[in-house]
Amino acid sequence: SMMRVVVVGNATVDLIQRVERFALPGETLLCSAMVVCAGGKGMNQAIAAARTGAATRLHAPAAADAHGELLARAAAAEPGLEVDWLAVAPPTDISTIWIDAAGENMIVSAAAAAASMGAAQAAAACASLGAGDVLLVQGNLSQAATAAAIAQARTKGARTVLNTAPMRPWMAALLPGVDLVIANAVEAAELSGGSDSPEAALLRAGARAAVVSHGRDGAWLATQHGRFKVDAAAVAAVDTAGAGDVLAG
């Protein structure tokens, strides 16, 4: 049977405003454009995985509110993506995102819905995994839920992938159960204690392989067979929000 990808993570409604520059404390700016769309690391990564052609299932918390309906509509429009929405009491999480003229971003995210997924629910999301399948998790859920998903996936013989965004202090403890850790340069330095080769340090911490991304400078892959450089495509950056999610997916 075809390899399946299960993503256990969050989904948010992103409120994106484009500005010439970021506001100063106490200042009100007018934005040049505004978009309201589906986002969240879990959902972004699941959509990216589905778009590569992998049969992908996302398990994410959302409330029965207008924002939850927006997320459901967005997911339904993605061929190859199935979603199991976990009904939650808190409102559906929202991220407010500013993007400046240079494509830099500032993000503030609500996370009450994501935090409400329990360990038992996360483990149940991985029940259908089998050998050769892939579990992908990030940092938006609780440590208990993330650890439970990884443990269940390993029991089922699936490969486990951890994206260390947003960075959480408890992630280092989960690395021994992770087949591939995906981190950006800042997260990798934080997780590994800032050594010369964060990729190698992540392997020493227990991960079986590590990808460390460096934006326009591409990414490094480290395995027990060595370190490999992968160049990034040269593009004019329009918006860097979600770039790491696309890489992980």
Side-chain angles (χ1 to χ4, degrees):
S1 68
M2 187 177 165
M3 181 195 85
R4 287 169 309 148
V5 175
V6 167
V7 181
V8 181
N10 73 324
T12 65
V13 167
D14 288 355
L15 174 63
I16 305 169
Q17 294 177 315
R18 291 192 168 271
V19 291
E20 266 304 302
R21 57 172 179 81
F22 297 133
L24 301 171
E27 181 182 30
T28 299
L29 289 182
L30 300 181
C31 67
S32 59
M34 184 182 89
V35 178
V36 180
C37 61
K41 292 189 187 301
M43 185 154 185
N44 288 347
Q45 293 178 18
I47 289 172
R51 287 182 181 178
T52 69
T56 305
R57 180 178 283 270
L58 169 67
H59 295 261
D65 54 18
H67 288 135
E69 286 167 22
L70 184 155
L71 293 178
R73 283 198 306 274
E78 292 290 333
L81 176 63
E82 292 180 6
V83 185
D84 279 340
W85 295 109
L86 177 67
V88 294
T92 300
D93 290 331
I94 299 176
S95 290
T96 46
I97 303 173
W98 290 348
I99 301 167
D100 75 5
E104 273 299 331
N105 64 66
M106 293 177 84
I107 304 174
V108 178
S109 290
S116 69
M117 183 187 280
Q121 293 164 319
C126 301
S128 67
L129 284 168
D133 292 337
V134 174
L135 166 71
L136 174 57
V137 289
Q138 318 77 28
N140 285 101
L141 305 182
S142 68
Q143 177 177 4
T146 309
I150 290 172
Q152 177 73 326
R154 289 183 66 75
T155 300
K156 297 284 183 176
R159 284 175 291 170
T160 54
V161 181
L162 169 67
N163 172 222
T164 58
M167 181 67 202
R168 306 290 287 272
W170 43 258
M171 285 175 165
L174 300 187
L175 289 180
V178 171
D179 292 306
L180 174 64
V181 58
I182 302 171
N184 66 26
V186 176
E187 294 152 2
E190 205 173 315
L191 254 186
S192 65
S195 69
D196 290 343
S197 164
E199 306 89 42
L202 291 172
L203 297 192
R204 282 198 302 276
R208 273 163 286 292
V211 166
V212 177
S213 61
H214 295 268
R216 71 181 64 202
D217 295 325
W220 285 92
L221 165 67
T223 72
Q224 69 255 38
H225 304 297
R227 287 171 76 228
F228 309 89
K229 174 87 190 291
V230 181
D231 289 323
V235 296
V238 175
D239 173 6
T240 55
D245 296 334
V246 173
L247 174 73

Short mmCIF file of all heavy atoms in Angstrom, two decimals, residues 119-184:
data_model
loop_
_atom_site.label_atom_id
_atom_site.label_comp_id
_atom_site.label_asym_id
_atom_site.label_seq_id
_atom_site.Cartn_x
_atom_site.Cartn_y
_atom_site.Cartn_z
N ALA A 119 -3.15 13.63 25.51
CA ALA A 119 -2.24 12.55 25.11
C ALA A 119 -3.00 11.38 24.48
O ALA A 119 -2.57 10.81 23.48
CB ALA A 119 -1.42 12.09 26.30
N ALA A 120 -4.14 11.02 25.07
CA ALA A 120 -4.92 9.88 24.55
C ALA A 120 -5.42 10.18 23.14
O ALA A 120 -5.41 9.31 22.27
CB ALA A 120 -6.08 9.56 25.48
N GLN A 121 -5.84 11.42 22.90
CA GLN A 121 -6.33 11.82 21.58
C GLN A 121 -5.20 11.81 20.56
O GLN A 121 -5.38 11.39 19.41
CB GLN A 121 -6.96 13.21 21.65
CG GLN A 121 -8.25 13.23 22.48
CD GLN A 121 -8.67 14.62 22.87
OE1 GLN A 121 -7.84 15.45 23.24
NE2 GLN A 121 -9.96 14.91 22.80
N ALA A 122 -4.02 12.25 20.98
CA ALA A 122 -2.86 12.26 20.08
C ALA A 122 -2.44 10.84 19.72
O ALA A 122 -2.11 10.55 18.57
CB ALA A 122 -1.71 13.02 20.72
N ALA A 123 -2.46 9.95 20.70
CA ALA A 123 -2.11 8.55 20.45
C ALA A 123 -3.13 7.91 19.51
O ALA A 123 -2.77 7.17 18.58
CB ALA A 123 -2.02 7.78 21.76
N ALA A 124 -4.41 8.19 19.73
CA ALA A 124 -5.47 7.63 18.89
C ALA A 124 -5.31 8.07 17.44
O ALA A 124 -5.61 7.31 16.51
CB ALA A 124 -6.85 8.05 19.42
N ALA A 125 -4.80 9.29 17.23
CA ALA A 125 -4.60 9.81 15.88
C ALA A 125 -3.57 8.97 15.11
O ALA A 125 -3.56 8.96 13.88
CB ALA A 125 -4.14 11.26 15.94
N CYS A 126 -2.72 8.27 15.85
CA CYS A 126 -1.64 7.48 15.23
C CYS A 126 -1.98 6.00 15.12
O CYS A 126 -1.15 5.20 14.68
CB CYS A 126 -0.35 7.66 16.02
SG CYS A 126 0.18 9.37 16.11
N ALA A 127 -3.20 5.63 15.51
CA ALA A 127 -3.57 4.21 15.58
C ALA A 127 -3.54 3.53 14.21
O ALA A 127 -3.28 2.34 14.11
CB ALA A 127 -4.96 4.06 16.21
N SER A 128 -3.79 4.29 13.13
CA SER A 128 -3.86 3.69 11.80
C SER A 128 -2.50 3.61 11.11
O SER A 128 -2.40 3.09 10.00
CB SER A 128 -4.82 4.50 10.92
OG SER A 128 -4.28 5.78 10.67
N LEU A 129 -1.47 4.15 11.74
CA LEU A 129 -0.14 4.13 11.13
C LEU A 129 0.41 2.72 11.03
O LEU A 129 0.11 1.87 11.86
CB LEU A 129 0.84 5.00 11.93
CG LEU A 129 0.71 6.52 11.77
CD1 LEU A 129 1.53 7.23 12.84
CD2 LEU A 129 1.14 6.96 10.38
N GLY A 130 1.23 2.48 10.00
CA GLY A 130 1.88 1.19 9.84
C GLY A 130 3.32 1.37 9.41
O GLY A 130 3.80 2.49 9.26
N ALA A 131 4.03 0.26 9.21
CA ALA A 131 5.42 0.32 8.78
C ALA A 131 5.52 1.08 7.46
O ALA A 131 4.70 0.88 6.56
CB ALA A 131 5.97 -1.09 8.62
N GLY A 132 6.48 1.97 7.36
CA GLY A 132 6.65 2.75 6.14
C GLY A 132 5.87 4.04 6.11
O GLY A 132 6.11 4.89 5.25
N ASP A 133 4.91 4.21 7.03
CA ASP A 133 4.18 5.47 7.13
C ASP A 133 5.01 6.50 7.90
O ASP A 133 6.04 6.16 8.50
CB ASP A 133 2.83 5.26 7.83
CG ASP A 133 1.87 4.43 6.98
OD1 ASP A 133 2.04 4.38 5.75
OD2 ASP A 133 0.94 3.83 7.57
N VAL A 134 4.54 7.74 7.89
CA VAL A 134 5.29 8.82 8.52
C VAL A 134 4.38 9.63 9.44
O VAL A 134 3.27 10.00 9.06
CB VAL A 134 5.89 9.77 7.46
CG1 VAL A 134 6.56 10.98 8.12
CG2 VAL A 134 6.89 9.04 6.58
N LEU A 135 4.86 9.89 10.66
CA LEU A 135 4.20 10.83 11.57
C LEU A 135 4.98 12.13 11.55
O LEU A 135 6.21 12.11 11.67
CB LEU A 135 4.16 10.29 13.00
CG LEU A 135 3.79 11.34 14.07
CD1 LEU A 135 2.30 11.72 13.97
CD2 LEU A 135 4.12 10.85 15.47
N LEU A 136 4.28 13.26 11.41
CA LEU A 136 4.92 14.58 11.47
C LEU A 136 4.28 15.39 12.59
O LEU A 136 3.06 15.55 12.62
CB LEU A 136 4.75 15.28 10.12
CG LEU A 136 5.22 16.73 9.99
CD1 LEU A 136 6.69 16.89 10.36
CD2 LEU A 136 4.97 17.25 8.57
N VAL A 137 5.11 15.86 13.52
CA VAL A 137 4.63 16.68 14.64
C VAL A 137 5.47 17.95 14.75
O VAL A 137 6.59 18.01 14.25
CB VAL A 137 4.65 15.92 15.99
CG1 VAL A 137 3.58 14.84 16.04
CG2 VAL A 137 6.03 15.32 16.25
N GLN A 138 4.91 18.97 15.42
CA GLN A 138 5.57 20.25 15.62
C GLN A 138 5.49 20.65 17.08
O GLN A 138 5.20 19.81 17.92
CB GLN A 138 4.93 21.34 14.75
CG GLN A 138 4.55 20.96 13.33
CD GLN A 138 3.29 20.12 13.28
OE1 GLN A 138 2.42 20.23 14.15
NE2 GLN A 138 3.18 19.28 12.27
N GLY A 139 5.68 21.94 17.36
CA GLY A 139 5.73 22.40 18.75
C GLY A 139 4.50 23.07 19.29
O GLY A 139 4.53 23.64 20.37
N ASN A 140 3.37 23.01 18.56
CA ASN A 140 2.19 23.74 19.03
C ASN A 140 1.36 22.97 20.05
O ASN A 140 0.60 23.56 20.80
CB ASN A 140 1.30 24.12 17.86
CG ASN A 140 1.86 25.28 17.07
OD1 ASN A 140 2.44 25.09 16.01
ND2 ASN A 140 1.73 26.48 17.59
N LEU A 141 1.47 21.64 20.03
CA LEU A 141 0.70 20.84 21.00
C LEU A 141 1.46 20.73 22.30
O LEU A 141 2.61 21.14 22.40
CB LEU A 141 0.41 19.45 20.41
CG LEU A 141 -0.28 19.43 19.05
CD1 LEU A 141 -0.55 18.00 18.61
CD2 LEU A 141 -1.59 20.23 19.09
N SER A 142 0.85 20.14 23.32
CA SER A 142 1.53 19.97 24.61
C SER A 142 2.62 18.91 24.50
O SER A 142 2.62 18.09 23.58
CB SER A 142 0.52 19.55 25.67
OG SER A 142 0.06 18.23 25.40
N GLN A 143 3.52 18.91 25.46
CA GLN A 143 4.56 17.89 25.51
C GLN A 143 3.93 16.50 25.61
O GLN A 143 4.35 15.56 24.93
CB GLN A 143 5.49 18.12 26.70
CG GLN A 143 6.56 17.03 26.83
CD GLN A 143 7.52 17.30 27.98
OE1 GLN A 143 7.35 18.26 28.74
NE2 GLN A 143 8.52 16.46 28.12
N ALA A 144 2.89 16.37 26.45
CA ALA A 144 2.25 15.07 26.66
C ALA A 144 1.65 14.54 25.35
O ALA A 144 1.83 13.37 25.01
CB ALA A 144 1.17 15.18 27.73
N ALA A 145 0.95 15.41 24.61
CA ALA A 145 0.33 14.99 23.36
C ALA A 145 1.38 14.63 22.31
O ALA A 145 1.26 13.62 21.61
CB ALA A 145 -0.59 16.09 22.83
N THR A 146 2.43 15.45 22.23
CA THR A 146 3.48 15.23 21.23
C THR A 146 4.23 13.93 21.52
O THR A 146 4.48 13.12 20.61
CB THR A 146 4.46 16.42 21.21
OG1 THR A 146 3.70 17.63 21.07
CG2 THR A 146 5.44 16.32 20.07
N ALA A 147 4.56 13.72 22.80
CA ALA A 147 5.27 12.50 23.20
C ALA A 147 4.41 11.26 22.95
O ALA A 147 4.91 10.22 22.50
CB ALA A 147 5.67 12.59 24.67
N ALA A 148 3.11 11.36 23.21
CA ALA A 148 2.20 10.22 23.03
C ALA A 148 2.10 9.85 21.55
O ALA A 148 2.08 8.66 21.19
CB ALA A 148 0.82 10.55 23.59
N ALA A 149 2.04 10.86 20.68
CA ALA A 149 1.97 10.60 19.24
C ALA A 149 3.23 9.89 18.77
O ALA A 149 3.17 8.89 18.04
CB ALA A 149 1.76 11.90 18.47
N ILE A 150 4.39 10.39 19.20
CA ILE A 150 5.68 9.79 18.79
C ILE A 150 5.77 8.35 19.29
O ILE A 150 6.15 7.44 18.54
CB ILE A 150 6.85 10.64 19.30
CG1 ILE A 150 6.91 11.97 18.52
CG2 ILE A 150 8.18 9.88 19.18
CD1 ILE A 150 7.92 12.97 19.08
N ALA A 151 5.40 8.12 20.54
CA ALA A 151 5.49 6.77 21.12
C ALA A 151 4.59 5.80 20.37
O ALA A 151 4.99 4.66 20.06
CB ALA A 151 5.13 6.81 22.60
N GLN A 152 3.36 6.22 20.06
CA GLN A 152 2.42 5.35 19.36
C GLN A 152 2.90 5.07 17.94
O GLN A 152 2.82 3.92 17.46
CB GLN A 152 1.03 6.01 19.34
CG GLN A 152 -0.03 5.23 18.58
CD GLN A 152 -0.50 3.98 19.30
OE1 GLN A 152 0.26 3.31 20.00
NE2 GLN A 152 -1.77 3.64 19.14
N ALA A 153 3.42 6.07 17.26
CA ALA A 153 3.92 5.88 15.89
C ALA A 153 5.07 4.88 15.88
O ALA A 153 5.15 4.02 14.99
CB ALA A 153 4.38 7.22 15.32
N ARG A 154 5.95 4.96 16.88
CA ARG A 154 7.07 4.03 16.95
C ARG A 154 6.58 2.60 17.20
O ARG A 154 7.09 1.64 16.61
CB ARG A 154 8.06 4.46 18.03
CG ARG A 154 8.82 5.71 17.65
CD ARG A 154 9.85 6.11 18.69
NE ARG A 154 10.93 5.12 18.78
CZ ARG A 154 11.91 4.99 17.87
NH1 ARG A 154 11.92 5.74 16.79
NH2 ARG A 154 12.86 4.10 18.04
N THR A 155 5.58 2.47 18.05
CA THR A 155 4.98 1.16 18.31
C THR A 155 4.44 0.54 17.03
O THR A 155 4.52 -0.67 16.82
CB THR A 155 3.84 1.29 19.34
OG1 THR A 155 4.37 1.84 20.55
CG2 THR A 155 3.19 -0.04 19.63
N LYS A 156 3.90 1.40 16.14
CA LYS A 156 3.29 0.94 14.90
C LYS A 156 4.32 0.73 13.78
O LYS A 156 3.97 0.32 12.68
CB LYS A 156 2.25 1.96 14.41
CG LYS A 156 1.08 2.14 15.38
CD LYS A 156 0.13 0.96 15.28
CE LYS A 156 -1.08 1.14 16.18
NZ LYS A 156 -2.04 0.05 16.00
N GLY A 157 5.59 1.06 14.05
CA GLY A 157 6.64 0.88 13.06
C GLY A 157 6.74 2.02 12.05
O GLY A 157 7.41 1.89 11.02
N ALA A 158 6.09 3.15 12.34
CA ALA A 158 6.15 4.30 11.43
C ALA A 158 7.38 5.13 11.72
O ALA A 158 7.96 5.06 12.81
CB ALA A 158 4.89 5.15 11.57
N ARG A 159 7.79 5.93 10.74
CA ARG A 159 8.90 6.87 10.94
C ARG A 159 8.36 8.15 11.59
O ARG A 159 7.23 8.56 11.31
CB ARG A 159 9.58 7.20 9.61
CG ARG A 159 10.47 6.07 9.12
CD ARG A 159 11.03 6.37 7.75
NE ARG A 159 9.97 6.34 6.74
CZ ARG A 159 10.14 6.75 5.49
NH1 ARG A 159 11.29 7.25 5.10
NH2 ARG A 159 9.14 6.66 4.62
N THR A 160 9.16 8.74 12.44
CA THR A 160 8.72 9.93 13.18
C THR A 160 9.55 11.15 12.77
O THR A 160 10.78 11.08 12.69
CB THR A 160 8.85 9.71 14.70
OG1 THR A 160 10.19 9.31 15.00
CG2 THR A 160 7.89 8.61 15.17
N VAL A 161 8.84 12.25 12.50
CA VAL A 161 9.50 13.49 12.11
C VAL A 161 9.03 14.60 13.06
O VAL A 161 7.83 14.80 13.23
CB VAL A 161 9.15 13.87 10.65
CG1 VAL A 161 9.87 15.16 10.24
CG2 VAL A 161 9.50 12.74 9.70
N LEU A 162 9.98 15.31 13.66
CA LEU A 162 9.67 16.42 14.57
C LEU A 162 10.20 17.71 13.97
O LEU A 162 11.40 17.83 13.70
CB LEU A 162 10.30 16.20 15.94
CG LEU A 162 10.27 17.40 16.90
CD1 LEU A 162 8.85 17.75 17.33
CD2 LEU A 162 11.15 17.14 18.14
N ASN A 163 9.32 18.68 13.75
CA ASN A 163 9.75 20.03 13.37
C ASN A 163 9.76 20.87 14.65
O ASN A 163 8.75 20.97 15.33
CB ASN A 163 8.78 20.61 12.34
CG ASN A 163 9.05 22.08 12.03
OD1 ASN A 163 8.14 22.87 11.91
ND2 ASN A 163 10.31 22.46 11.91
N THR A 164 10.90 21.46 14.97
CA THR A 164 11.08 22.12 16.26
C THR A 164 10.57 23.55 16.29
O THR A 164 11.16 24.43 16.92
CB THR A 164 12.56 22.12 16.66
OG1 THR A 164 13.31 22.78 15.63
CG2 THR A 164 13.08 20.71 16.83
N ALA A 165 9.47 23.80 15.59
CA ALA A 165 8.85 25.13 15.61
C ALA A 165 7.39 24.99 16.04
O ALA A 165 6.73 24.07 15.58
CB ALA A 165 8.93 25.77 14.23
N PRO A 166 6.90 25.87 16.91
CA PRO A 166 7.72 26.78 17.71
C PRO A 166 8.60 26.00 18.68
O PRO A 166 8.20 24.94 19.17
CB PRO A 166 6.70 27.63 18.46
CG PRO A 166 5.46 26.79 18.51
CD PRO A 166 5.47 25.96 17.26
N MET A 167 9.78 26.50 18.94
CA MET A 167 10.74 25.85 19.82
C MET A 167 10.17 25.72 21.23
O MET A 167 9.66 26.68 21.78
CB MET A 167 12.02 26.70 19.84
CG MET A 167 13.11 26.14 20.68
SD MET A 167 13.75 24.61 19.98
CE MET A 167 14.45 23.92 21.45
N ARG A 168 10.25 24.52 21.80
CA ARG A 168 9.78 24.29 23.17
C ARG A 168 10.89 23.64 23.97
O ARG A 168 11.61 22.78 23.45
CB ARG A 168 8.54 23.39 23.17
CG ARG A 168 7.39 23.86 22.29
CD ARG A 168 6.69 25.10 22.81
NE ARG A 168 5.86 24.83 23.97
CZ ARG A 168 4.58 24.46 23.92
NH1 ARG A 168 3.98 24.30 22.76
NH2 ARG A 168 3.90 24.25 25.01
N PRO A 169 11.06 24.01 25.24
CA PRO A 169 12.18 23.49 26.03
C PRO A 169 12.17 21.97 26.17
O PRO A 169 13.22 21.36 26.31
CB PRO A 169 12.01 24.16 27.41
CG PRO A 169 10.86 25.09 27.31
CD PRO A 169 10.25 25.01 25.95
N TRP A 170 10.98 21.36 26.06
CA TRP A 170 10.88 19.91 26.27
C TRP A 170 11.27 19.08 25.05
O TRP A 170 11.33 17.85 25.11
CB TRP A 170 9.48 19.51 26.74
CG TRP A 170 8.32 20.17 26.04
CD1 TRP A 170 7.56 21.20 26.53
CD2 TRP A 170 7.75 19.84 24.76
NE1 TRP A 170 6.57 21.53 25.63
CE2 TRP A 170 6.65 20.71 24.54
CE3 TRP A 170 8.05 18.88 23.78
CZ2 TRP A 170 5.87 20.67 23.38
CZ3 TRP A 170 7.27 18.84 22.62
CH2 TRP A 170 6.20 19.73 22.44
N MET A 171 11.56 19.73 23.93
CA MET A 171 11.83 18.96 22.72
C MET A 171 13.07 18.08 22.79
O MET A 171 13.11 17.00 22.22
CB MET A 171 11.92 19.90 21.52
CG MET A 171 10.55 20.38 21.09
SD MET A 171 10.63 21.59 19.75
CE MET A 171 8.90 21.55 19.23
N ALA A 172 14.10 18.56 23.49
CA ALA A 172 15.34 17.78 23.60
C ALA A 172 15.07 16.39 24.16
O ALA A 172 15.68 15.41 23.72
CB ALA A 172 16.35 18.53 24.47
N ALA A 173 14.13 16.29 25.10
CA ALA A 173 13.82 15.01 25.73
C ALA A 173 13.16 14.04 24.75
O ALA A 173 13.20 12.82 24.95
CB ALA A 173 12.91 15.23 26.95
N LEU A 174 12.55 14.57 23.67
CA LEU A 174 11.85 13.70 22.72
C LEU A 174 12.74 13.21 21.58
O LEU A 174 12.38 12.29 20.85
CB LEU A 174 10.64 14.44 22.12
CG LEU A 174 9.56 14.91 23.10
CD1 LEU A 174 8.36 15.45 22.33
CD2 LEU A 174 9.13 13.79 24.03
N LEU A 175 13.91 13.82 21.41
CA LEU A 175 14.77 13.50 20.26
C LEU A 175 15.15 12.02 20.13
O LEU A 175 15.25 11.52 19.01
CB LEU A 175 16.04 14.37 20.27
CG LEU A 175 15.81 15.85 19.93
CD1 LEU A 175 17.12 16.62 19.97
CD2 LEU A 175 15.16 16.00 18.56
N PRO A 176 15.36 11.29 21.24
CA PRO A 176 15.70 9.87 21.07
C PRO A 176 14.60 9.04 20.39
O PRO A 176 14.89 7.96 19.89
CB PRO A 176 15.93 9.39 22.51
CG PRO A 176 16.37 10.62 23.24
CD PRO A 176 15.56 11.73 22.64
N GLY A 177 13.37 9.56 20.33
CA GLY A 177 12.30 8.84 19.66
C GLY A 177 12.05 9.33 18.24
O GLY A 177 11.09 8.92 17.60
N VAL A 178 12.93 10.22 17.75
CA VAL A 178 12.68 10.90 16.48
C VAL A 178 13.63 10.40 15.38
O VAL A 178 14.84 10.36 15.57
CB VAL A 178 12.85 12.43 16.67
CG1 VAL A 178 12.82 13.17 15.35
CG2 VAL A 178 11.76 12.96 17.61
N ASP A 179 13.05 10.00 14.24
CA ASP A 179 13.86 9.55 13.10
C ASP A 179 14.46 10.72 12.34
O ASP A 179 15.57 10.63 11.84
CB ASP A 179 13.01 8.70 12.15
CG ASP A 179 12.62 7.37 12.77
OD1 ASP A 179 13.54 6.66 13.22
OD2 ASP A 179 11.42 7.05 12.83
N LEU A 180 13.71 11.82 12.24
CA LEU A 180 14.21 13.02 11.55
C LEU A 180 13.74 14.25 12.30
O LEU A 180 12.55 14.42 12.54
CB LEU A 180 13.68 13.06 10.10
CG LEU A 180 13.99 14.34 9.30
CD1 LEU A 180 15.49 14.50 9.10
CD2 LEU A 180 13.27 14.33 7.96
N VAL A 181 14.69 15.10 12.69
CA VAL A 181 14.34 16.38 13.30
C VAL A 181 14.61 17.47 12.27
O VAL A 181 15.64 17.44 11.58
CB VAL A 181 15.11 16.63 14.62
CG1 VAL A 181 16.61 16.60 14.43
CG2 VAL A 181 14.69 17.97 15.25
N ILE A 182 13.65 18.39 12.11
CA ILE A 182 13.79 19.50 11.16
C ILE A 182 13.76 20.79 11.96
O ILE A 182 12.78 21.09 12.65
CB ILE A 182 12.63 19.51 10.14
CG1 ILE A 182 12.59 18.17 9.38
CG2 ILE A 182 12.79 20.68 9.16
CD1 ILE A 182 11.35 18.02 8.49
N ALA A 183 14.86 21.55 11.89
CA ALA A 183 14.98 22.77 12.68
C ALA A 183 15.57 23.87 11.81
O ALA A 183 16.29 23.60 10.85
CB ALA A 183 15.89 22.54 13.88
N ASN A 184 15.27 25.13 12.14
CA ASN A 184 16.01 26.20 11.48
C ASN A 184 17.28 26.46 12.28
O ASN A 184 17.49 25.87 13.35
CB ASN A 184 15.15 27.46 11.27
CG ASN A 184 14.74 28.14 12.56
OD1 ASN A 184 15.40 28.03 13.60
ND2 ASN A 184 13.63 28.87 12.51
#
